Amino acid sequence: QVQLVESGGGLVQAGGSLRLSCTASGRTFSSYAMGWFRQAPGLEREFVAAISWSGGSTFYADSVKGRFTISRDNAKKTVYLQMNSLKLEDTAVYYCAAGSGLYSSATRGYDYWGQGTQVTVSS
């Protein structure tokens, strides 16, 4: 069992930056691929970024490529999402997720989810 807690969300102006963190409980964090997803009001949850269990491989949605960076610190059981050059359309609730398989862009590829953290980008 893995429990995930996100933090770091907030209100930021367009063009600004935020860093989200997701800290896991349990002893097997380093064996899980981790992903970040987001969901805006009225829309489906969408993939943002994923990272392999070792951190050696990363994968991004086209909409965030070059602006967002996913990383992890297995010793701290934490995965991060550095978000730069934020746009209005990045406004959403951001969720982290843990999956026992290969890192994936699909929600079905993840077994555990956090409660989400709100990111609001203003003009």
Side-chain angles (χ1 to χ4, degrees):
Q1 191 79 359
V2 176
Q3 291 185 326
L4 304 171
V5 179
E6 301 98 335
S7 61
L11 175 65
V12 63
Q13 287 191 324
S17 298
L18 279 177
R19 187 176 82 156
L20 305 183
S21 299
C22 173
T23 301
S25 64
R27 295 178 292 177
T28 59
F29 174 78
S30 60
S31 66
Y32 286 93
M34 299 297 296
W36 285 98
F37 290 75
R38 65 187 182 187
Q39 188 166 19
L43 299 179
E44 292 186 354
R45 193 168 298 189
E46 66 172 0
F47 170 74
V48 175
I51 189 167
S52 61
W53 66 270
S54 68
S57 297
T58 57
F59 181 48
Y60 297 92
D62 287 344
S63 58
V64 306
K65 200 172 295 182
R67 299 188 298 122
F68 291 11
T69 302
I70 188 171
S71 61
R72 67 189 296 163
D73 184 333
N74 285 343
K76 295 183 178 179
K77 298 182 181 179
T78 300
V79 62
Y80 304 97
L81 186 68
Q82 178 66 43
M83 305 186 294
N84 299 329
S85 302
L86 283 160
K87 303 177 180 180
L88 297 179
E89 53 263 41
D90 294 319
T91 295
V93 177
Y94 283 71
Y95 299 89
C96 73
S100 56
L102 294 175
Y103 64 93
S104 171
S105 62
T107 56
R108 64 179 180 274
Y110 295 88
D111 306 300
Y112 303 100
W113 293 82
Q115 83 290 347
T117 185
Q118 177 71 47
V119 171
T120 303
V121 183
S122 65
S123 59

